[in-house]
Amino acid sequence: MTTAISLAVVDDHPLFREGVIRSLAEIEGFTIVGEGSTREDAVRIAEDKHPDVLLLDISMPGGGLEALSLIVERVPDQKIVMLTVSEASDDVTAALKNGAKGYVLKGVGSRALADILRTVASGESYVAPTLSARLISGDGSASLRKADLLRDLTGRESEVLQLVAAGLSNKHIGLKLDLHEKTVKHHMTQIFTKLGVANRTEAAMAFRDALEKRV
């Protein structure tokens, strides 16, 4: 039997927080171990409960990004997903730079959110596709270099990267391409190495940059 993924939700809007908790609690494979509404609550929950994934809003008393930094400093292996209405590139960049493993907009459905949380709990990262497209590197030469390196990818690696850019997890890429998840992970490793990137978001950015340059 698979162990349930433990979750905590910190958001200063009670109705939204309770709705997220209720929705996820009804989905098999998740258990809620904590909830709160402030930066102090977030830090306390991370230290005391250490859930598999902590869902954290940006706009809350004390600041969600500030809470993120404190938690990563005190509980380095805590996986954090920002669940917010903020689409500001600065917020997305700051969250990822400070250690968030995911960045999700509040309009997401409960089933999609559950898939994202499983992805993050498994060790992968996730950024809403509409946001990752905006995270264009300010270094034009680096952007061009990554676009050129896309030509070094095999056909299968290109297919995998295209689905990554569309926001699919390794599991769903495997289902789409009829591949084992382990095989998808191998392709991802090769893609990261060839593009000189560190994560899925950077790989997706390189892919989108290349598409823009072909137009």
Side-chain angles (χ1 to χ4, degrees):
M1 183 176 178
T2 305
T3 303
I5 296 171
S6 60
L7 304 171
V9 183
V10 181
D11 190 294
D12 64 337
H13 292 86
L15 283 177
F16 177 80
R17 184 177 71 244
E18 291 165 9
V20 171
I21 290 172
R22 183 171 58 253
S23 297
L24 292 173
E26 292 174 354
I27 297 176
E28 185 177 357
F30 294 99
T31 181
I32 308 300
V33 298
E35 63 175 293
S37 60
T38 66
R39 177 183 65 187
E40 289 71 23
D41 290 339
V43 175
R44 174 181 51 77
I45 290 170
E47 291 182 326
D48 295 347
K49 303 292 187 179
H50 198 180
D52 293 322
V53 182
L54 172 61
L55 280 167
L56 189 61
D57 189 18
I58 282 183
S59 300
M60 66 168 67
L65 292 175
E66 289 77 5
L68 170 65
S69 297
L70 285 171
I71 292 169
V72 170
E73 179 183 335
R74 300 181 187 183
V75 190
D77 60 342
Q78 176 65 65
K79 296 182 177 72
I80 299 172
V81 171
M82 309 306 291
L83 180 59
T84 177
V85 298
S86 175
E87 299 185 34
S89 295
D90 287 348
D91 284 340
V92 181
T93 301
L96 298 176
K97 182 178 179 181
N98 288 322
K101 300 301 183 185
Y103 198 102
V104 185
L105 296 177
K106 283 187 174 181
V108 68
S110 59
R111 293 289 172 180
L113 179 58
D115 284 342
I116 292 166
L117 295 175
R118 293 187 188 101
T119 295
V120 172
S122 73
E124 299 180 41
S125 59
Y126 178 91
V127 176
T130 56
L131 298 180
S132 63
R134 301 178 190 175
L135 299 179
I136 306 300
S137 171
D139 184 347
S141 61
S143 182
L144 284 170
R145 181 179 61 81
K146 289 184 174 63
D148 290 339
L149 289 173
L150 286 176
R151 299 169 187 164
D152 294 334
L153 301 181
T154 65
R156 181 62 86 184
E157 288 165 357
S158 296
E159 289 179 322
V160 170
L161 179 55
Q162 183 174 354
L163 295 175
V164 169
L168 273 67
S169 67
N170 283 356
K171 179 180 179 180
H172 287 98
I173 291 172
L175 292 172
K176 188 86 172 176
L177 299 179
D178 194 24
L179 298 172
H180 289 296
E181 188 173 355
K182 185 175 181 180
T183 303
V184 176
K185 288 181 178 179
H186 171 72
H187 286 312
M188 289 303 303
T189 299
Q190 293 296 106
I191 290 168
F192 290 171
T193 300
K194 289 181 179 181
L195 297 185
V197 299
N199 54 52
R200 300 169 76 85
T201 300
E202 291 181 7
M205 287 164 54
F207 176 76
R208 293 176 188 277
D209 285 350
L211 287 184
E212 289 181 0
K213 288 174 176 56
R214 291 172 187 169
V215 175

